Amino acid sequence: MATTSTPYPNQRLQGAADQQGTSKEGGSMSRRQPIERRTLHDEIVSSLRDMITADEFPPGSKLPEKSLCDHFGVSRTPLREAFKVLAAEGIVELLPSRGVRVTQQTLEDIEEIFEVLGVLEALSGELSCLRMSEAEIARIRELHERMVDHFNKGERLPYFHLNQEIHECIMAGAGNRHLADVYTRLSGKVRRTRYLSSLSERRWKQAVGEHSAMINALESRDGERLFRILRDHLKNKADAARATLLATEAEHHETK
């Protein structure tokens, strides 16, 4: 996968020279307002996930610890705790005495993970049709409608957040801890890839239609139908992500 030659892939972390402080990692970042202590951990983890998902820190790149501390207005301790969470999710790798690196998956890794996720999510859908309450299903419908609103406005990242929340709610609704545990350990590894799959306008529109079919099957408690929809949904997502990644790699080689 492509990497960047710039010291800080996250362009939002760069500001005017008179508002920056130079870091040991070799660059400078605009300072962000310190995060409130009560939301410190969750906010840092969530922000880093989004930076990596949106390719601001591409696969294989190092996370600049000092500059990120300045960016968030925090010390190294809470930042390192956030790194541990992301490492447990498979999003980054902790390198002894060498810092933190964004996990780099091969195309084969990604395809194999999606094969497993397709089965896991399909099973979760079938079980959720049997076990979810009406209130839980209504909650997913509400999330879906908000997600569609972001789609209509062309807002990819907010759309993606709700998209992932819907999948996670269906997984939780299956009521199987072991199923959810395996899913959690795998899904983080392809979070960025799932986001990239929506960069194609055609695929994005197709995915919204698939989500509508998912919600309808869930509301009618048609477990067999939801099983098929989710399995095919993950396969289509994997195919779109594969095409995007191959195109990105080809573009990277052409610019060398």
Side-chain angles (χ1 to χ4, degrees):
M1 294 184 189
T3 57
T4 180
S5 59
T6 58
Y8 301 114
N10 178 10
Q11 297 302 314
R12 291 184 303 165
L13 301 187
Q14 301 180 27
D18 60 351
Q19 295 178 328
Q20 297 172 332
T22 302
S23 74
K24 291 181 180 179
E25 282 86 352
S28 54
M29 292 186 173
S30 57
R31 189 173 182 84
R32 182 175 175 174
Q33 289 296 319
I35 296 170
E36 294 181 23
R37 182 64 55 180
R38 63 185 175 84
T39 61
L40 182 65
H41 178 76
D42 290 343
E43 286 290 339
I44 294 174
V45 171
S46 179
S47 293
L48 287 173
R49 276 200 204 100
D50 284 348
M51 290 176 180
I52 294 169
T53 296
D55 232 16
E56 295 177 358
F57 291 110
S61 64
K62 291 281 193 71
L63 296 185
E65 187 175 289
K66 174 61 170 62
S67 299
L68 285 169
C69 285
D70 292 343
H71 173 64
F72 290 120
V74 299
S75 67
R76 292 179 185 267
T77 299
L79 185 66
R80 288 175 177 175
E81 289 301 313
F83 288 162
K84 290 178 183 178
V85 173
L86 297 179
E89 294 176 358
I91 296 174
V92 302
E93 299 172 293
L94 304 180
L95 308 175
S97 304
R98 290 182 293 150
V100 181
R101 180 174 61 200
V102 179
T103 302
Q104 189 162 14
Q105 305 283 352
T106 66
L107 190 57
E108 183 180 12
D109 289 333
I110 291 169
E111 290 176 339
E112 289 180 354
I113 290 171
F114 269 111
E115 284 180 353
V116 177
L117 287 177
V119 176
L120 297 178
E121 291 208 31
L123 177 57
S124 76
E126 186 174 34
L127 293 175
S128 290
C129 285
L130 296 172
R131 298 174 179 174
M132 290 189 81
S133 68
E134 291 299 321
E136 289 170 330
I137 293 175
R139 167 63 176 161
I140 291 178
R141 164 62 72 178
E142 187 265 335
L143 291 173
H144 172 74
E145 291 175 354
R146 287 168 52 198
M147 184 192 76
V148 172
D149 185 54
H150 286 302
F151 167 75
N152 291 332
K153 294 176 180 177
E155 298 169 340
R156 275 190 167 82
L157 195 55
Y159 166 92
F160 180 72
H161 287 160
L162 289 169
N163 179 295
Q164 293 300 282
E165 188 172 353
I166 289 169
H167 283 274
E168 290 163 4
C169 284
I170 293 174
M171 179 59 65
N176 187 309
R177 292 180 295 109
H178 300 288
L179 176 64
D181 181 57
V182 176
Y183 172 78
T184 299
R185 284 189 281 116
L186 286 176
S187 62
K189 295 181 179 181
V190 291
R191 189 175 191 270
R192 169 183 172 272
T193 307
R194 294 182 83 143
Y195 177 76
L196 291 178
S197 71
S198 70
L199 296 184
S200 160
E201 292 293 337
R202 184 193 64 80
R203 172 55 199 158
W204 196 12
K205 183 177 180 179
Q206 180 187 32
V208 173
E210 291 167 358
H211 265 260
S212 294
M214 285 163 47
I215 303 305
N216 291 337
L218 182 61
E219 289 177 332
S220 62
R221 296 189 181 274
D222 189 339
E224 290 185 8
R225 181 167 172 247
L226 186 52
F227 183 100
R228 293 192 301 271
I229 292 170
L230 279 165
R231 181 192 59 200
D232 293 345
H233 178 65
L234 267 291
K235 182 182 183 304
N236 292 338
K237 190 178 290 289
D239 290 344
R242 183 177 188 276
T244 299
L245 291 169
L246 288 174
T248 300
E249 288 182 359
E251 181 180 346
H252 175 65
H253 289 310
E254 288 176 1
T255 58
K256 280 188 174 181

mmCIF file of all heavy atoms in Angstrom, residues 65 69 74-84:
data_model
loop_
_atom_site.group_PDB
_atom_site.id
_atom_site.type_symbol
_atom_site.label_atom_id
_atom_site.label_comp_id
_atom_site.label_asym_id
_atom_site.label_seq_id
_atom_site.Cartn_x
_atom_site.Cartn_y
_atom_site.Cartn_z
ATOM 1 N N GLU A 65 4.558 10.823 18.137
ATOM 2 C CA GLU A 65 4.054 10.940 19.506
ATOM 3 C C GLU A 65 4.087 12.367 20.039
ATOM 4 O O GLU A 65 3.081 12.876 20.547
ATOM 5 C CB GLU A 65 4.854 10.019 20.426
ATOM 6 C CG GLU A 65 4.306 9.947 21.836
ATOM 7 C CD GLU A 65 5.054 8.939 22.690
ATOM 8 O OE1 GLU A 65 4.890 7.733 22.450
ATOM 9 O OE2 GLU A 65 5.804 9.372 23.584
ATOM 10 N N CYS A 69 0.855 14.728 20.936
ATOM 11 C CA CYS A 69 0.640 15.286 22.277
ATOM 12 C C CYS A 69 0.324 16.779 22.178
ATOM 13 O O CYS A 69 -0.592 17.286 22.836
ATOM 14 C CB CYS A 69 1.880 15.075 23.147
ATOM 15 S SG CYS A 69 2.117 13.388 23.733
ATOM 16 N N VAL A 74 -2.193 17.074 25.411
ATOM 17 C CA VAL A 74 -2.115 16.095 26.494
ATOM 18 C C VAL A 74 -0.668 15.653 26.684
ATOM 19 O O VAL A 74 0.199 15.929 25.855
ATOM 20 C CB VAL A 74 -2.989 14.850 26.196
ATOM 21 C CG1 VAL A 74 -4.450 15.238 26.057
ATOM 22 C CG2 VAL A 74 -2.502 14.124 24.938
ATOM 23 N N SER A 75 -0.423 14.938 27.783
ATOM 24 C CA SER A 75 0.896 14.369 28.030
ATOM 25 C C SER A 75 1.025 13.045 27.279
ATOM 26 O O SER A 75 0.076 12.567 26.659
ATOM 27 C CB SER A 75 1.093 14.133 29.529
ATOM 28 O OG SER A 75 0.208 13.118 29.981
ATOM 29 N N ARG A 76 2.198 12.433 27.366
ATOM 30 C CA ARG A 76 2.428 11.172 26.667
ATOM 31 C C ARG A 76 1.612 10.016 27.251
ATOM 32 O O ARG A 76 1.252 9.081 26.532
ATOM 33 C CB ARG A 76 3.921 10.812 26.709
ATOM 34 C CG ARG A 76 4.793 11.744 25.884
ATOM 35 C CD ARG A 76 6.257 11.341 25.990
ATOM 36 N NE ARG A 76 7.115 12.298 25.303
ATOM 37 C CZ ARG A 76 7.518 12.182 24.036
ATOM 38 N NH1 ARG A 76 7.107 11.153 23.331
ATOM 39 N NH2 ARG A 76 8.308 13.087 23.491
ATOM 40 N N THR A 77 1.314 10.066 28.550
ATOM 41 C CA THR A 77 0.638 8.928 29.194
ATOM 42 C C THR A 77 -0.730 8.617 28.590
ATOM 43 O O THR A 77 -0.976 7.474 28.180
ATOM 44 C CB THR A 77 0.517 9.162 30.711
ATOM 45 O OG1 THR A 77 1.835 9.277 31.267
ATOM 46 C CG2 THR A 77 -0.214 8.000 31.373
ATOM 47 N N PRO A 78 -1.663 9.583 28.500
ATOM 48 C CA PRO A 78 -2.959 9.240 27.889
ATOM 49 C C PRO A 78 -2.844 8.882 26.416
ATOM 50 O O PRO A 78 -3.618 8.059 25.909
ATOM 51 C CB PRO A 78 -3.800 10.507 28.091
ATOM 52 C CG PRO A 78 -2.821 11.600 28.336
ATOM 53 C CD PRO A 78 -1.659 10.960 29.027
ATOM 54 N N LEU A 79 -1.876 9.477 25.720
ATOM 55 C CA LEU A 79 -1.698 9.139 24.308
ATOM 56 C C LEU A 79 -1.239 7.689 24.175
ATOM 57 O O LEU A 79 -1.735 6.941 23.318
ATOM 58 C CB LEU A 79 -0.680 10.076 23.663
ATOM 59 C CG LEU A 79 -0.493 9.893 22.153
ATOM 60 C CD1 LEU A 79 -1.766 10.279 21.401
ATOM 61 C CD2 LEU A 79 0.688 10.723 21.648
ATOM 62 N N ARG A 80 -0.313 7.285 25.020
ATOM 63 C CA ARG A 80 0.176 5.905 24.957
ATOM 64 C C ARG A 80 -0.909 4.904 25.348
ATOM 65 O O ARG A 80 -0.946 3.783 24.832
ATOM 66 C CB ARG A 80 1.405 5.756 25.852
ATOM 67 C CG ARG A 80 2.637 6.444 25.265
ATOM 68 C CD ARG A 80 3.836 6.413 26.188
ATOM 69 N NE ARG A 80 5.001 7.016 25.556
ATOM 70 C CZ ARG A 80 6.168 7.222 26.166
ATOM 71 N NH1 ARG A 80 6.311 6.858 27.443
ATOM 72 N NH2 ARG A 80 7.172 7.774 25.521
ATOM 73 N N GLU A 81 -1.791 5.299 26.265
ATOM 74 C CA GLU A 81 -2.920 4.432 26.612
ATOM 75 C C GLU A 81 -3.842 4.259 25.400
ATOM 76 O O GLU A 81 -4.374 3.172 25.159
ATOM 77 C CB GLU A 81 -3.703 5.020 27.791
ATOM 78 C CG GLU A 81 -2.966 4.944 29.120
ATOM 79 C CD GLU A 81 -2.612 3.517 29.508
ATOM 80 O OE1 GLU A 81 -3.502 2.642 29.409
ATOM 81 O OE2 GLU A 81 -1.454 3.267 29.891
ATOM 82 N N ALA A 82 -4.022 5.333 24.643
ATOM 83 C CA ALA A 82 -4.842 5.253 23.425
ATOM 84 C C ALA A 82 -4.173 4.340 22.399
ATOM 85 O O ALA A 82 -4.851 3.559 21.717
ATOM 86 C CB ALA A 82 -5.042 6.650 22.841
ATOM 87 N N PHE A 83 -2.852 4.431 22.286
ATOM 88 C CA PHE A 83 -2.125 3.551 21.369
ATOM 89 C C PHE A 83 -2.372 2.080 21.719
ATOM 90 O O PHE A 83 -2.516 1.230 20.833
ATOM 91 C CB PHE A 83 -0.624 3.831 21.432
ATOM 92 C CG PHE A 83 -0.190 5.124 20.794
ATOM 93 C CD1 PHE A 83 1.050 5.680 21.109
ATOM 94 C CD2 PHE A 83 -0.997 5.787 19.882
ATOM 95 C CE1 PHE A 83 1.470 6.862 20.519
ATOM 96 C CE2 PHE A 83 -0.595 6.982 19.290
ATOM 97 C CZ PHE A 83 0.652 7.517 19.613
ATOM 98 N N LYS A 84 -2.414 1.775 23.016
ATOM 99 C CA LYS A 84 -2.632 0.388 23.445
ATOM 100 C C LYS A 84 -4.005 -0.114 23.008
ATOM 101 O O LYS A 84 -4.159 -1.269 22.601
ATOM 102 C CB LYS A 84 -2.487 0.282 24.964
ATOM 103 C CG LYS A 84 -1.067 0.467 25.478
ATOM 104 C CD LYS A 84 -1.024 0.401 27.004
ATOM 105 C CE LYS A 84 0.377 0.660 27.534
ATOM 106 N NZ LYS A 84 0.399 0.648 29.025
#
